[in-house]
Amino acid sequence: MAPRSDPRRPADVRPNTAGSLFQLLRDGQPRTRADLAAITGLARSTVAARIEDLLAAGLLAPTGEAASTGGRPPATFAFNPAARIVVAVDLGVSHARVAVTDLGGHVLAEDTFELAIADGPEPVLGRVVDVARALVREVGRPEADVVGMGVGLPGPVEHASGRPTSPPIMPGWDGYDVPGRLGEAFPIPILVDNDVNIMALGEHEAVWPDVDDLLYVKIATGIGAGIISDGTIQRGAQGAAGDLGHIAVPGGAEVPCRCGNFGCLEAIAGGPAVAAALREKGLEVASNAALVELVRSGNLEATLALRQAGREIGAVLATCVNLLNPSVIVIGGAVAEAGEHLLAGIREVVYTRSLPLATQHLRIVASRTAGRAGVLGAAAMVTQHVLSAEQINALVGD
């Protein structure tokens, strides 16, 4: 079997360019010119010239000296993640999180605030621009240091153009030129994707970098999944891959769904559906946050309802496990903050209904990024693009 190609080292990039050499230094490990010449087989003069280009661009920084084997100790160099900054945006149905990160994905400043996606693209993106500019000022960097912006939206997105595609809960957004609007304020690469895709990418980069097959499931107002297969996000033909919320629950109630069908997972087990069922029993549950608080306070009705929602979600995920065979399923989103009761229901059904071979080493875990999966993924989406060999070559004129 041929080895899986590394997306950071495209086959059409010449191996002696600054961009290809830079990919070897992305891990942050200090290396000498001699180290890089030995790894690449390039002449030391070629390596020295490429190192100078990358130092001039600020992408590398001196890190001291290696141990001497006689004579003057050789200088070492490593990736400098502080060279530029990235704006990362995670937009939900009723909230937003905007962050500024360095090129290594470390959050330097962030702001979380209420924001209704249904207000439409102009007011929403206008607010995003204002918050992003304030955060850039907060970290003490000029806007010229912003190398790219990543955005997650709560609906299907045509990734190539950055335009939402028939998003069901985003009135006025269909086909809207999101990169064009944001580019008026930030004339830089602006990449847009579905929010669950960037959450999957964020969780993968931050917590599970060595796992090639991962499913991230967001459970909030809606239910969706980000699919990482063979180390790569799978978006589907129209950007609609992973829309778990509109899969019919096996044996589920024929509850009408906003999509026009009946018995969809979202209509049965989404946060608003669970809250509505509890209100019918006389409990005051006005939001996903109220549902989580009720469960955390030990309310028996809420706990049982959430565990049953987990079983319904597990019934759909069991099919996904048989089809995709992930190593890890990460459960995130506002409702997942209620903790182990939801996870217990999911695990109960997935491990019972999926094939034993598919679940032999399967882990079903809660998100470990503390609500930051979206912005971490948005930042990673940008850095994968702007730090690619082609983009680095364009930057240094190679």
Side-chain angles (χ1 to χ4, degrees):
M1 177 183 292
R4 179 165 61 89
S5 61
D6 186 341
R8 294 178 179 173
R9 300 189 66 183
D12 60 348
V13 173
R14 290 175 290 121
N16 63 340
T17 63
S20 58
L21 190 69
F22 176 71
Q23 305 311 309
L24 298 173
L25 293 154
R26 288 276 301 275
D27 61 6
Q29 179 181 335
R31 293 181 175 88
T32 66
R33 294 179 178 88
D35 292 335
L36 293 167
I39 293 169
T40 62
L42 298 175
R44 289 199 182 191
S45 59
T46 301
V47 169
R50 302 300 180 237
I51 291 294
E52 290 306 313
D53 289 340
L54 294 169
L55 285 168
L59 293 169
L60 296 187
T63 53
E65 297 176 338
S68 175
T69 57
R72 184 179 177 180
T76 61
F77 307 91
F79 172 42
N80 175 25
R84 304 286 193 280
I85 54 176
V86 172
V87 173
V89 182
D90 176 20
L91 295 177
V93 175
S94 58
H95 79 284
R97 185 187 293 255
V98 180
V100 171
T101 77
D102 65 14
L103 294 178
H106 303 104
V107 175
L108 306 176
E110 66 182 323
D111 190 8
T112 304
F113 49 95
E114 292 185 358
L115 187 118
I117 201 74
D119 286 347
E122 284 297 328
V124 168
L125 297 180
R127 179 76 185 282
V128 165
V129 167
D130 291 342
V131 172
R133 282 179 162 158
L135 290 174
V136 171
R137 289 194 298 270
E138 182 180 327
V139 300
R141 302 288 289 266
E143 289 187 11
D145 279 0
V146 181
V147 73
M149 179 184 292
V151 182
L153 297 176
V157 173
E158 183 184 62
H159 182 60
S161 69
R163 295 173 183 261
T165 305
S166 302
I169 54 175
M170 298 172 63
W173 287 82
D174 186 27
Y176 187 84
D177 185 8
V178 175
R181 172 65 179 86
L182 293 173
E184 294 170 4
F186 291 94
I188 52 177
I190 296 172
L191 306 180
V192 186
D193 205 345
N194 172 266
D195 62 343
V196 189
N197 284 346
I198 65 166
M199 288 177 180
L201 183 59
E203 200 79 25
H204 181 258
E205 290 280 316
V207 184
W208 305 98
D210 297 325
V211 171
D212 283 344
D213 299 279
L214 177 146
L215 197 64
Y216 182 96
V217 181
K218 177 188 176 185
I219 305 167
T221 302
I223 300 176
I227 304 165
I228 293 180
S229 179
D230 199 21
T232 304
I233 282 283
Q234 304 299 318
R235 297 183 173 92
Q238 274 74 48
D243 198 350
L244 288 184
H246 300 290
I247 296 176
V249 177
E254 289 294 302
V255 179
C257 180
R258 59 182 171 82
C259 73
N261 286 323
F262 292 84
C264 292
L265 179 61
E266 178 182 305
I268 293 174
V274 176
L278 290 172
R279 284 196 295 271
E280 290 179 1
K281 297 183 178 182
L283 294 173
E284 291 294 326
V285 190
S287 63
N288 288 334
L291 171 61
V292 169
E293 184 57 35
L294 205 57
V295 172
R296 287 178 172 175
S297 70
N299 182 278
L300 180 60
E301 290 285 357
T303 299
L304 292 174
L306 195 64
R307 180 140 185 170
Q308 180 57 33
R311 295 188 184 101
E312 307 287 6
I313 295 165
V316 171
L317 284 179
T319 301
C320 297
V321 168
N322 289 338
L323 183 67
L324 301 172
N325 189 203
S327 299
V328 176
I329 297 177
V330 179
I331 307 298
V335 176
E337 294 177 8
E340 285 296 318
H341 297 292
L342 180 70
L343 281 172
I346 293 172
R347 290 173 178 143
E348 176 186 332
V349 178
V350 168
Y351 288 122
T352 300
R353 295 192 182 179
S354 300
L355 293 171
L357 181 60
T359 57
Q360 184 176 10
H361 301 294
L362 174 66
R363 287 168 287 184
I364 302 175
V365 299
S367 170
R368 299 180 188 174
T369 51
R372 284 180 166 175
V375 291
L376 293 176
M381 179 170 62
V382 170
T383 56
Q384 286 178 3
H385 171 72
V386 300
L387 297 182
S388 67
E390 298 97 329
Q391 294 298 314
I392 297 299
N393 287 339
L395 176 66
V396 302
D398 199 346

